[in-house]
Amino acid sequence: MKAWILLTLVFVFGLAAHAQATCTYPHSPARIPDGKTATKEHMVAAAQDFKRYNDEMNMYLDCIKLETDAPTPADPSKLTADEKKKADQQHKKYVQKNDLAVDELQSVVGRFNEQLKIYKARNVQ
């Protein structure tokens, strides 16, 4: 029985620690190579940078989703009006973060893909 209590406490404190964790917004690659003049090495290096950025952004999105999906009381009807308002505001904040991050990711990767297309067109044999 003591082991069960101990495991429950570890789980609860683990959730609390996770809820306090902050999500780190990734930085996009500093530069997108010009497809008209870039070498193969530049494009390969940039592709690796953009893959890293995409992976980091997906981790960020997962992190904010976990924050948004934080456990709520078993009976939401027991929330006070202030608690409901705070929960709604927090949910809106995380949805906004998600939307902004996805928009940036699509924009930045889209610009790289445009340059990659130009590079490939230039190097077709």
Side-chain angles (χ1 to χ4, degrees), residues 20-68:
Q20 297 299 322
T22 58
C23 303
T24 304
Y25 196 87
H27 296 285
S28 64
R31 186 167 115 47
I32 298 174
D34 183 348
K36 296 175 189 170
T37 59
T39 65
K40 180 179 179 179
E41 293 76 22
H42 289 135
M43 294 308 286
V44 168
Q48 291 171 345
D49 286 345
F50 280 90
K51 182 183 180 326
R52 174 204 47 79
Y53 170 64
N54 186 66
D55 292 345
E56 289 175 358
M57 186 62 82
N58 284 324
M59 287 188 301
Y60 171 76
L61 293 170
D62 288 344
C63 180
I64 63 172
K65 181 169 179 17
L66 285 173
E67 286 183 350
T68 303

Side-chain angles (χ1 to χ4, degrees), residues 25 50 53-55 57-58 61 100-111:
Y25 196 87
F50 280 90
Y53 170 64
N54 186 66
D55 292 345
M57 186 62 82
N58 284 324
L61 293 170
L100 290 171
V102 169
D103 289 348
E104 180 184 322
L105 177 64
Q106 290 174 341
S107 174
V108 170
V109 172
R111 289 193 309 268

Side-chain angles (χ1 to χ4, degrees), residues 6-21 71:
L6 179 62
L7 286 174
T8 303
L9 287 173
V10 168
F11 178 72
V12 169
F13 286 124
L15 282 177
H18 178 72
Q20 297 299 322

